[in-house]
Amino acid sequence: MASDPLPAVYRSEIKSRGWRFPWRTPTIDKIYQTCDRTLVELIARERASWTGCSWLEKIPTVIKSIGNLEASKGGLEELLGYWSKVLELTAPQTSESVSKLEPVGYYSNRSVDWHKATFCELLDLGDRVGTDKAIAQFSTRYDQNHTGATDSWLNWLKVEHPSMYAYLHPQVA
């Protein structure tokens, strides 16, 4: 049963709708073809541990086997198991990096419109007294409980709203 091929109905549905398995990438890489690099390396390392050879040697066979596994029910289940491991490995890293970039203190839990209005206020103050002095005044005013909140907010703007940040530092654009 595990090696039963996928019914033709499913295969034609996948092709007609242009669906892609989550481990397939839209771009072609020289080494990994259209497979997710992390998935290929995970499977290659596991298979290399069985044979004792280098995991790099296993990459071409893993890529071929992914195509074969996609054609059967059991193979899809195996790939989904590997894919869930990949997601577990990548999920904690992304959540930590996002939390470091979130605005803190006075700037946290605000709407995008609020951020735009506050940024406009910073730009107006910057036009009057200079950008560095405006940032220093914002820091004095809003960083009392969270030191560095203004710098954190500006870094967050640089990542999340680069076009807005470019008004503050035109050389970035």
Side-chain angles (χ1 to χ4, degrees), residues 57-72:
E57 296 171 13
K58 291 290 184 184
I59 289 176
T61 56
V62 167
I63 292 170
K64 288 177 188 173
S65 69
I66 287 175
N68 293 336
L69 290 171
E70 289 174 343
S72 68

Side-chain angles (χ1 to χ4, degrees), residues 150-168:
T150 301
D151 292 330
S152 170
W153 177 61
L154 291 172
N155 288 335
W156 177 79
L157 284 176
K158 183 193 287 187
V159 172
E160 296 294 322
H161 302 283
S163 60
M164 203 186 317
Y165 186 81
Y167 282 105
L168 184 63

Side-chain angles (χ1 to χ4, degrees), residues 19-141:
W19 287 341
R20 217 177 48 234
F21 292 114
W23 49 83
R24 290 291 184 171
T25 59
T27 57
I28 298 176
D29 183 83
K30 287 183 180 179
I31 298 171
Y32 298 97
Q33 303 302 312
T34 59
C35 297
D36 181 75
R37 177 186 192 127
T38 313
L39 176 76
V40 172
E41 290 178 0
L42 176 76
I43 297 171
R45 288 179 198 278
E46 182 179 300
R47 291 185 181 176
S49 69
W50 299 342
T51 60
C53 64
S54 169
W55 66 273
L56 294 169
E57 296 171 13
K58 291 290 184 184
I59 289 176
T61 56
V62 167
I63 292 170
K64 288 177 188 173
S65 69
I66 287 175
N68 293 336
L69 290 171
E70 289 174 343
S72 68
K73 293 176 189 176
L76 277 176
E77 289 175 4
E78 183 179 346
L79 283 172
L80 287 170
Y82 283 122
W83 187 245
S84 67
K85 288 179 186 176
V86 167
L87 294 178
E88 287 173 10
L89 293 173
T90 57
Q93 295 171 350
T94 56
S95 65
E96 287 174 2
S97 62
V98 168
S99 65
K100 289 180 184 174
L101 288 177
E102 287 297 315
V104 293
Y106 176 76
Y107 303 100
S108 64
N109 301 323
R110 307 289 182 143
S111 69
V112 174
D113 291 333
W114 182 90
H115 287 290
K116 288 179 183 177
T118 306
F119 189 73
C120 288
E121 180 187 343
L122 177 66
L123 289 177
D124 291 342
L125 185 61
D127 289 341
R128 287 188 304 233
V129 298
T131 304
D132 293 336
K133 288 184 180 179
I135 293 172
Q137 284 184 17
F138 261 57
S139 297
T140 303
R141 195 179 334 159

